[in-house]
């Protein structure tokens, strides 16, 4: 397995005119730093989705409507049973039971309101404390360590065209084994590789410099990274899990 941590970068400028025209309450450089950081994090989610959230990437794929009843069909679906069965499938292949469930926001919305989930938690409900499914509660029900909900949105239209937005991860879900720490001696579904020497010791870095001729301050975010599946047996992908 090889990887290449290429540079993802984006920048923006604060011009002298903008600085002079801004009210005192605004901090243009802080706003710009937050914006470029958000764009780098968005790029990381896009790359993760491309690497891991799709059919043909993991040893086992399941599709809603054919392999299991979509979890949005509340009267006939069994998400708890499905996920326990699929966790057992991975465990029987690898010896490691998946401990993380990653999904798009629409999948979480359907699961959080599913009668089977609500039934498990409503015993402790009261008028002032309604039965609300949290990620921690669902993780406990499914015997997982973590439930991750991806809710980032990207613009998919070309520049200058009518703007079209779409969820980066939508109606899909992934069960995967993730060890407590990086290890060469045990499997992990995948890894995010970061070139820390170039990233300043972290996942990304911010670069700030002056362009005197243009009379502006440029603020850039850079990150050198790559996402790779390292043990395809350790994950099970569920496509079109809900409507």
């Amino acid at each position: 397995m090889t990887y290449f941590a290429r540079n993802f970068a984006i920048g923006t400028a604060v011009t002298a005119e903008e600085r002079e025209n801004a009210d005192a309450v605004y901090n243009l450089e802080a706003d710009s730093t937050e914006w470029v950081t958000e764009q780098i994090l968005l790029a990381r989610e896009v790359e993760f989705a491309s690497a891991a959230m799709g059919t043909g990437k993991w040893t086992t794929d399941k599709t809603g409507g054919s392999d299991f009843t979509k979890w949005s069909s509340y009267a006939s679906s069994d998400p708890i049973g499905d996920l326990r069965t699929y966790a057992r499938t991975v465990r029987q292949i690898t010896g490691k039971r998946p401990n993380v469930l990653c999904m798009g926001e629409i999948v979480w919305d359907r699961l959080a309101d599913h009668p089977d989930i609500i039934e498990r938690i409503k015993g402790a409900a009261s008028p002032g404390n309604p039965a609300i499914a949290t990620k921690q509660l669902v993780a406990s029900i499914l015997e997982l360590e973590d439930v991750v909900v991806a809710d980032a949105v990207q613009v998919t239209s070309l520049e200058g065209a009518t703007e079209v937005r779409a969820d980066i991860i939508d109606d899909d879900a992934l069960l995967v084994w993730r060890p407590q720490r990086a290890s060469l001696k045990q499997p992990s579904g995948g890894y995010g590789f970061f070139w820390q020497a170039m990233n300043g010791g972290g996942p990304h870095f911010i670069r700030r410099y002056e362009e005197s001729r243009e009379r502006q301050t440029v603020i850039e975010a850079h990150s050198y990274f790559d996402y790779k599946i390292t043990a395809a047996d350790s994950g099970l992908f569920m496509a079109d899990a809900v409507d």
Side-chain angles (χ1 to χ4, degrees), residues 56-142:
K57 301 177 182 297
W58 302 93
T59 297
T60 309
D61 292 326
K62 300 293 181 181
T63 301
S66 56
D67 296 309
F68 64 95
T69 302
K70 293 189 179 186
W71 302 330
S72 47
S73 300
Y74 288 164
S76 55
S77 64
D78 180 15
I80 297 174
D82 292 337
L83 288 165
R84 285 181 171 172
T85 296
Y86 296 156
R88 189 162 56 250
T89 297
V90 174
R91 180 185 59 78
Q92 289 171 342
I93 297 173
T94 67
K96 299 288 187 180
R97 188 181 190 279
N99 56 358
V100 177
L101 174 63
C102 176
M103 70 192 85
E105 187 180 48
I106 189 172
V107 182
W108 169 250
D109 287 344
R110 301 294 189 262
L111 276 182
D113 289 334
H114 198 286
D116 290 1
I117 299 291
I118 299 300
E119 182 66 27
R120 298 295 183 99
I121 63 175
K122 72 179 184 181
S126 65
N129 183 32
I132 297 175
T134 65
K135 299 176 186 66
Q136 292 79 10
L137 284 172
V138 172
S140 179
I141 291 170
L142 297 171

Side-chain angles (χ1 to χ4, degrees), residues 175-207:
L175 263 176
V176 66
W177 161 253
R178 180 187 67 192
Q180 295 298 317
R181 59 178 178 80
S183 173
L184 295 175
K185 300 298 185 181
Q186 63 174 314
S188 174
Y191 282 107
F193 297 93
F194 295 86
W195 192 0
Q196 291 194 340
M198 293 300 295
N199 285 344
H204 62 265
F205 71 93
I206 303 297
R207 181 185 179 210

Side-chain angles (χ1 to χ4, degrees), residues 134-157:
T134 65
K135 299 176 186 66
Q136 292 79 10
L137 284 172
V138 172
S140 179
I141 291 170
L142 297 171
E143 300 178 87
L144 301 171
E145 293 180 8
D146 204 3
V147 168
V148 179
V149 178
D151 60 3
V153 175
Q154 66 175 331
V155 175
T156 57
S157 52

Side-chain angles (χ1 to χ4, degrees), residues 4-26:
F4 178 70
R6 63 191 177 98
N7 183 18
F8 290 77
I10 189 168
T12 188
V14 179
T15 65
E17 292 84 358
E18 289 174 323
R19 199 185 301 277
E20 289 300 318
N21 190 51
D23 294 333
V25 69
Y26 296 113

